[in-house]
Amino acid sequence: MELRQLQYALQIAAEKNFSRAAEKLHIAQPSLSQQLSKLEKELGVLLFQRNTSSVELTHAGASFVSKASDILDAVELLKQEMSDISQLRKGKVVVGSMPITGSHLLPHVLPAFRENYPDIEIALLEDSSMNLEKLTASGKSDLSLLSLPLQEPSLSYIEIGEERIDLAVPKDHPLALRNPESSLVPIRMEELADESFVVLKKGQGFRKLTFDLCQAAGFEPKVVFESNNMETVQSLVATGMGITLVPRFIARAPSSEFVPVYLPIEAAPSRTLVIAYRKGRYLSGAAEAFIETFKSTIQEMSTE
């Protein structure tokens, strides 16, 4: 059994078609069919059920493809580890990021990283926190910027910093009028029980944190609008559609012309930002360098 035969089987399973699989693998279809037949003969089982329109995995084939994927992933990680040892500062890191959080933090992190490690490539993968956990667990990203708690049990994480949570309200809101900028008084969460909330849609980690903080204060937030974008949420608040909770790093740099008023919250609630990775996954020297750069940058931002 050869590694390339495992790759061939995975490609056929993905395409469910010999012609497309051969094209993706850049080999002739007869050669692909021959290699698969050779593999099946060696194993003594049929991996694929062929018919005129498609190719389907057999029960044995499904088991084989699952194990073959793990083997090829382990081989790739071994290559990466050996490459680190021999090349030290060279490499590539695929980093998953929540779009809005990343848009406010990565412009601070990436220039610092590029300056210290110019030969390391960073590939960004943006998605919701829920999808990022799945992508990281499946090995599609090496690291992902997320916040606690994580839902995916197969992930480990490294804490990189605490981010305070602020309250955003319209400029003419009673809470804003009673709290001039020169003498801000922290708002108690219990005061927000009767307010209308603008929140992120399901699948966004910060939505859950918002609900958790409201529920801990003894009420369920009355949601009037939802959005996938925190900038949109803030703009809607600024125009008087409701109030919301906002991570402080994001509240610092609104890009919209519609800017709400940001107020501190009593007991200073916060969220823990983490860099997550799959349990047992080897962290390359490049990945560890990125984590350290991220941690130091967040610490500097937190003291500003």
Side-chain angles (χ1 to χ4, degrees):
M1 189 186 306
E2 303 174 17
L3 287 178
R4 62 171 180 164
Q5 291 176 321
L6 305 188
Q7 294 169 334
Y8 291 170
L10 287 180
Q11 195 67 54
I12 295 170
E15 300 296 334
K16 296 184 178 180
N17 180 282
F18 275 89
S19 297
R20 290 197 298 269
E23 184 178 345
K24 292 285 182 66
L25 293 165
H26 305 292
I27 63 173
Q29 183 178 334
S31 297
L32 178 60
S33 298
Q34 183 180 20
Q35 286 296 325
L36 179 62
S37 296
K38 181 179 178 181
L39 177 61
E40 288 178 325
K41 184 176 180 180
E42 179 182 350
L43 297 173
V45 294
L46 191 68
L47 299 178
F48 294 93
Q49 190 69 50
R50 291 84 157 167
N51 56 52
T52 55
S53 59
S54 65
V55 179
E56 300 293 337
L57 283 167
T58 63
H59 177 72
S63 178
F64 180 87
V65 164
S66 175
K67 297 296 191 299
S69 179
D70 291 341
I71 292 170
L72 291 176
D73 189 39
V75 169
E76 193 58 37
L77 291 176
L78 178 60
K79 288 180 181 179
Q80 185 178 353
E81 186 172 354
M82 294 302 102
S83 175
D84 260 4
I85 292 172
S86 64
Q87 299 184 36
L88 216 59
R89 287 159 62 96
K90 294 183 181 293
K92 176 180 178 180
V93 185
V94 179
V95 178
S97 173
M98 299 174 286
I100 299 302
T101 302
S103 71
H104 291 288
L105 297 183
L106 292 177
H108 297 275
V109 176
L110 293 181
F113 185 80
R114 172 68 63 85
E115 182 178 355
N116 292 321
Y117 305 96
D119 295 325
I120 297 178
E121 178 187 353
I122 299 295
L124 291 179
L125 182 63
E126 292 187 316
D127 214 321
S128 67
S129 54
M130 181 184 298
N131 287 339
L132 283 176
E133 289 195 29
K134 294 176 182 177
L135 291 169
T136 308
S138 65
K140 296 293 192 305
S141 69
D142 299 308
L143 310 168
S144 280
L145 170 62
L146 294 165
S147 61
L148 295 182
L150 302 181
Q151 306 303 312
E152 175 57 59
S154 64
L155 295 181
S156 292
Y157 63 86
I158 296 171
E159 293 187 14
I160 59 171
E162 291 290 319
E163 182 180 18
R164 288 272 296 276
I165 305 301
D166 287 332
L167 174 68
V169 300
K171 291 181 179 179
D172 59 356
H173 192 282
L175 291 175
L177 297 176
R178 89 178 195 205
N179 282 275
E181 192 172 345
S182 59
S183 58
L184 290 179
V185 177
I187 306 300
R188 292 182 298 107
M189 284 294 299
E190 291 82 357
E191 296 181 70
L192 310 179
D194 295 325
E195 297 285 347
S196 298
F197 277 76
V198 184
V199 299
L200 292 170
K201 290 185 177 180
K202 291 181 179 179
Q204 305 279 4
F206 194 74
R207 173 194 172 98
K208 183 179 186 306
L209 179 56
T210 297
F211 274 67
D212 287 347
L213 288 172
C214 292
Q215 289 163 354
F219 69 94
E220 195 78 16
K222 294 188 292 188
V223 176
V224 291
F225 287 100
E226 298 180 338
S227 172
N228 283 319
N229 191 309
M230 181 58 85
E231 300 290 6
T232 302
V233 168
Q234 293 182 88
S235 295
L236 290 172
V237 168
T239 56
M241 305 307 292
I243 68 169
T244 195
L245 302 184
V246 185
R248 180 160 290 188
F249 292 141
I250 295 175
R252 284 182 175 186
S255 59
S256 169
E257 61 179 303
F258 302 106
V259 181
V261 172
Y262 300 101
L263 303 172
I265 301 174
E266 193 174 88
S270 65
R271 66 171 177 172
T272 303
L273 295 173
V274 301
I275 294 291
Y277 58 93
R278 191 176 64 190
K279 286 180 181 177
R281 186 180 183 90
Y282 165 71
L283 286 182
S284 67
E288 291 183 339
F290 182 82
I291 292 171
E292 288 306 311
T293 302
F294 214 125
K295 288 175 67 174
S296 62
T297 302
I298 292 298
Q299 288 170 0
E300 291 174 7
M301 293 178 67
S302 299
T303 56
E304 291 178 359

